[in-house]
Amino acid sequence: HVAVGARAFFLYADTQVDAAEAQAVGVKLGLCNEGGGGQGALLRVVPVDEKLRREWEQLAGWSRYGPRLTEAGSALMARQCLNAEHAMAKVGKALEAKKNSLAAEQRIAAATQEGEGEGEGEREREGEGVGE
């Protein structure tokens, strides 16, 4: 996955014990930060807790998979679908932020170049009459 461009792996841990163990292994291997991942980490450990459940409720798939979280035989699949959508939403937000940052940098660079070009043109015009 890394060879074809994956920049992050999200590991959803169903218990706090699983989250702590995954985080410890990730830190030991240099794949995630002490906080369980974060921006720039290759492995991002996400505990399945109340915070995540509130985030699930904001997802498009919540209406379809939310009710199935309590159904025997469907709960695991429902969590997997919501986790996948959650990971894509997180990555989408990060890509959008990066795109906006790059666009801002390009606008600043263009404005700087325009400013430099205007100054050069004024200097050339000012120097035209000097030798006459």
Side-chain angles (χ1 to χ4, degrees), residues 6 8 19 21 41 47-48 55 59 72 84 95 98-99 106-107 119 132:
E21 289 177 3
V48 178
E55 291 178 13
L59 300 173
L95 289 173
K98 185 168 187 146
K99 182 180 104 177
Q106 290 171 344
R107 286 191 301 272
E132 295 176 9

PDB file of all heavy atoms in Angstrom, residues 6 8 19 21 41 47-48 55 59 72 84 95 98-99 106-107 119 132:
ATOM      1  N   ALA A   6      -0.158   5.084  -0.375  1.00  0.00           N
ATOM      2  CA  ALA A   6      -0.892   5.240   0.895  1.00  0.00           C
ATOM      3  C   ALA A   6      -0.016   5.997   1.882  1.00  0.00           C
ATOM      4  O   ALA A   6       1.173   5.725   2.009  1.00  0.00           O
ATOM      5  CB  ALA A   6      -1.275   3.884   1.463  1.00  0.00           C
ATOM      6  N   ALA A   8      -1.390   6.856   5.122  1.00  0.00           N
ATOM      7  CA  ALA A   8      -1.876   6.619   6.474  1.00  0.00           C
ATOM      8  C   ALA A   8      -2.724   5.358   6.509  1.00  0.00           C
ATOM      9  O   ALA A   8      -3.440   5.049   5.563  1.00  0.00           O
ATOM     10  CB  ALA A   8      -2.697   7.804   6.959  1.00  0.00           C
ATOM     11  N   ALA A  19      -6.513  -0.534  21.859  1.00  0.00           N
ATOM     12  CA  ALA A  19      -5.959   0.743  21.399  1.00  0.00           C
ATOM     13  C   ALA A  19      -4.585   0.991  22.008  1.00  0.00           C
ATOM     14  O   ALA A  19      -3.650   1.387  21.308  1.00  0.00           O
ATOM     15  CB  ALA A  19      -6.914   1.892  21.744  1.00  0.00           C
ATOM     16  N   GLU A  21      -2.443  -1.261  23.205  1.00  0.00           N
ATOM     17  CA  GLU A  21      -1.482  -2.217  22.656  1.00  0.00           C
ATOM     18  C   GLU A  21      -1.068  -1.841  21.231  1.00  0.00           C
ATOM     19  O   GLU A  21       0.110  -1.896  20.890  1.00  0.00           O
ATOM     20  CB  GLU A  21      -2.062  -3.633  22.685  1.00  0.00           C
ATOM     21  CG  GLU A  21      -2.161  -4.213  24.077  1.00  0.00           C
ATOM     22  CD  GLU A  21      -2.803  -5.591  24.106  1.00  0.00           C
ATOM     23  OE1 GLU A  21      -3.135  -6.142  23.018  1.00  0.00           O
ATOM     24  OE2 GLU A  21      -2.973  -6.125  25.209  1.00  0.00           O
ATOM     25  N   ALA A  41       1.485  10.721  10.815  1.00  0.00           N
ATOM     26  CA  ALA A  41       1.818   9.372  11.253  1.00  0.00           C
ATOM     27  C   ALA A  41       1.320   8.362  10.215  1.00  0.00           C
ATOM     28  O   ALA A  41       0.258   8.535   9.637  1.00  0.00           O
ATOM     29  CB  ALA A  41       1.183   9.083  12.607  1.00  0.00           C
ATOM     30  N   PRO A  47      -9.554   4.800  18.795  1.00  0.00           N
ATOM     31  CA  PRO A  47     -10.372   4.000  19.705  1.00  0.00           C
ATOM     32  C   PRO A  47     -11.856   4.130  19.366  1.00  0.00           C
ATOM     33  O   PRO A  47     -12.329   5.213  19.032  1.00  0.00           O
ATOM     34  CB  PRO A  47     -10.069   4.580  21.082  1.00  0.00           C
ATOM     35  CG  PRO A  47      -9.445   5.911  20.846  1.00  0.00           C
ATOM     36  CD  PRO A  47      -8.922   5.940  19.437  1.00  0.00           C
ATOM     37  N   VAL A  48     -12.563   3.014  19.421  1.00  0.00           N
ATOM     38  CA  VAL A  48     -14.005   3.044  19.205  1.00  0.00           C
ATOM     39  C   VAL A  48     -14.621   3.420  20.555  1.00  0.00           C
ATOM     40  O   VAL A  48     -14.815   2.584  21.428  1.00  0.00           O
ATOM     41  CB  VAL A  48     -14.530   1.690  18.697  1.00  0.00           C
ATOM     42  CG1 VAL A  48     -16.042   1.723  18.524  1.00  0.00           C
ATOM     43  CG2 VAL A  48     -13.863   1.338  17.367  1.00  0.00           C
ATOM     44  N   GLU A  55     -18.974  11.024  16.009  1.00  0.00           N
ATOM     45  CA  GLU A  55     -18.501  11.334  14.658  1.00  0.00           C
ATOM     46  C   GLU A  55     -19.197  10.445  13.631  1.00  0.00           C
ATOM     47  O   GLU A  55     -19.506  10.898  12.528  1.00  0.00           O
ATOM     48  CB  GLU A  55     -16.983  11.198  14.587  1.00  0.00           C
ATOM     49  CG  GLU A  55     -16.257  12.279  15.369  1.00  0.00           C
ATOM     50  CD  GLU A  55     -14.750  12.126  15.356  1.00  0.00           C
ATOM     51  OE1 GLU A  55     -14.208  11.327  14.553  1.00  0.00           O
ATOM     52  OE2 GLU A  55     -14.098  12.808  16.164  1.00  0.00           O
ATOM     53  N   LEU A  59     -21.851  10.975   9.651  1.00  0.00           N
ATOM     54  CA  LEU A  59     -21.512  10.382   8.360  1.00  0.00           C
ATOM     55  C   LEU A  59     -22.761  10.062   7.545  1.00  0.00           C
ATOM     56  O   LEU A  59     -23.828   9.774   8.093  1.00  0.00           O
ATOM     57  CB  LEU A  59     -20.705   9.097   8.570  1.00  0.00           C
ATOM     58  CG  LEU A  59     -19.379   9.245   9.310  1.00  0.00           C
ATOM     59  CD1 LEU A  59     -18.780   7.862   9.584  1.00  0.00           C
ATOM     60  CD2 LEU A  59     -18.411  10.118   8.533  1.00  0.00           C
ATOM     61  N   ALA A  72     -27.519  -8.551  16.027  1.00  0.00           N
ATOM     62  CA  ALA A  72     -26.611  -9.706  16.045  1.00  0.00           C
ATOM     63  C   ALA A  72     -26.315 -10.101  14.604  1.00  0.00           C
ATOM     64  O   ALA A  72     -27.206 -10.168  13.769  1.00  0.00           O
ATOM     65  CB  ALA A  72     -27.260 -10.871  16.791  1.00  0.00           C
ATOM     66  N   ALA A  84     -14.670   2.669   7.807  1.00  0.00           N
ATOM     67  CA  ALA A  84     -14.114   2.964   6.487  1.00  0.00           C
ATOM     68  C   ALA A  84     -14.530   4.363   6.027  1.00  0.00           C
ATOM     69  O   ALA A  84     -13.709   5.145   5.531  1.00  0.00           O
ATOM     70  CB  ALA A  84     -14.562   1.913   5.472  1.00  0.00           C
ATOM     71  N   LEU A  95      -6.816  16.253   2.894  1.00  0.00           N
ATOM     72  CA  LEU A  95      -6.491  16.624   1.512  1.00  0.00           C
ATOM     73  C   LEU A  95      -7.035  18.000   1.168  1.00  0.00           C
ATOM     74  O   LEU A  95      -6.373  18.786   0.483  1.00  0.00           O
ATOM     75  CB  LEU A  95      -7.039  15.575   0.541  1.00  0.00           C
ATOM     76  CG  LEU A  95      -6.332  14.229   0.546  1.00  0.00           C
ATOM     77  CD1 LEU A  95      -7.085  13.227  -0.328  1.00  0.00           C
ATOM     78  CD2 LEU A  95      -4.888  14.360   0.094  1.00  0.00           C
ATOM     79  N   LYS A  98      -4.820  20.552   2.739  1.00  0.00           N
ATOM     80  CA  LYS A  98      -3.555  20.657   2.000  1.00  0.00           C
ATOM     81  C   LYS A  98      -3.766  21.409   0.690  1.00  0.00           C
ATOM     82  O   LYS A  98      -2.961  22.251   0.310  1.00  0.00           O
ATOM     83  CB  LYS A  98      -2.978  19.272   1.735  1.00  0.00           C
ATOM     84  CG  LYS A  98      -1.620  19.316   1.077  1.00  0.00           C
ATOM     85  CD  LYS A  98      -0.948  17.980   1.083  1.00  0.00           C
ATOM     86  CE  LYS A  98       0.457  18.157   0.564  1.00  0.00           C
ATOM     87  NZ  LYS A  98       1.395  17.276   1.200  1.00  0.00           N
ATOM     88  N   LYS A  99      -4.871  21.117   0.000  1.00  0.00           N
ATOM     89  CA  LYS A  99      -5.182  21.803  -1.253  1.00  0.00           C
ATOM     90  C   LYS A  99      -5.338  23.303  -1.010  1.00  0.00           C
ATOM     91  O   LYS A  99      -4.800  24.120  -1.756  1.00  0.00           O
ATOM     92  CB  LYS A  99      -6.466  21.228  -1.858  1.00  0.00           C
ATOM     93  CG  LYS A  99      -6.853  21.845  -3.188  1.00  0.00           C
ATOM     94  CD  LYS A  99      -8.127  21.214  -3.699  1.00  0.00           C
ATOM     95  CE  LYS A  99      -9.236  22.206  -3.460  1.00  0.00           C
ATOM     96  NZ  LYS A  99     -10.535  21.809  -3.945  1.00  0.00           N
ATOM     97  N   GLN A 106       0.346  29.417  -3.628  1.00  0.00           N
ATOM     98  CA  GLN A 106       0.432  29.810  -5.038  1.00  0.00           C
ATOM     99  C   GLN A 106      -0.029  31.253  -5.229  1.00  0.00           C
ATOM    100  O   GLN A 106       0.570  32.002  -5.999  1.00  0.00           O
ATOM    101  CB  GLN A 106      -0.387  28.865  -5.908  1.00  0.00           C
ATOM    102  CG  GLN A 106       0.219  27.489  -6.006  1.00  0.00           C
ATOM    103  CD  GLN A 106      -0.700  26.495  -6.695  1.00  0.00           C
ATOM    104  OE1 GLN A 106      -1.892  26.727  -6.851  1.00  0.00           O
ATOM    105  NE2 GLN A 106      -0.134  25.357  -7.095  1.00  0.00           N
ATOM    106  N   ARG A 107      -1.091  31.662  -4.511  1.00  0.00           N
ATOM    107  CA  ARG A 107      -1.561  33.047  -4.613  1.00  0.00           C
ATOM    108  C   ARG A 107      -0.500  34.006  -4.086  1.00  0.00           C
ATOM    109  O   ARG A 107      -0.257  35.050  -4.682  1.00  0.00           O
ATOM    110  CB  ARG A 107      -2.880  33.225  -3.851  1.00  0.00           C
ATOM    111  CG  ARG A 107      -4.081  32.623  -4.551  1.00  0.00           C
ATOM    112  CD  ARG A 107      -5.395  33.054  -3.911  1.00  0.00           C
ATOM    113  NE  ARG A 107      -5.499  32.684  -2.516  1.00  0.00           N
ATOM    114  CZ  ARG A 107      -5.973  31.533  -2.054  1.00  0.00           C
ATOM    115  NH1 ARG A 107      -6.383  30.621  -2.909  1.00  0.00           N
ATOM    116  NH2 ARG A 107      -6.044  31.298  -0.766  1.00  0.00           N
ATOM    117  N   GLY A 119       7.784  46.430 -10.162  1.00  0.00           N
ATOM    118  CA  GLY A 119       8.912  47.268  -9.748  1.00  0.00           C
ATOM    119  C   GLY A 119       9.977  47.345 -10.824  1.00  0.00           C
ATOM    120  O   GLY A 119      10.544  48.398 -11.084  1.00  0.00           O
ATOM    121  N   GLU A 132      19.554  60.429 -22.430  1.00  0.00           N
ATOM    122  CA  GLU A 132      19.182  61.336 -23.520  1.00  0.00           C
ATOM    123  C   GLU A 132      19.594  62.718 -23.304  1.00  0.00           C
ATOM    124  O   GLU A 132      19.760  63.357 -22.395  1.00  0.00           O
ATOM    125  CB  GLU A 132      17.660  61.269 -23.737  1.00  0.00           C
ATOM    126  CG  GLU A 132      17.251  59.904 -24.209  1.00  0.00           C
ATOM    127  CD  GLU A 132      15.733  59.823 -24.320  1.00  0.00           C
ATOM    128  OE1 GLU A 132      14.999  60.781 -24.217  1.00  0.00           O
ATOM    129  OE2 GLU A 132      15.270  58.696 -24.516  1.00  0.00           O
TER     130      GLU A 132
END
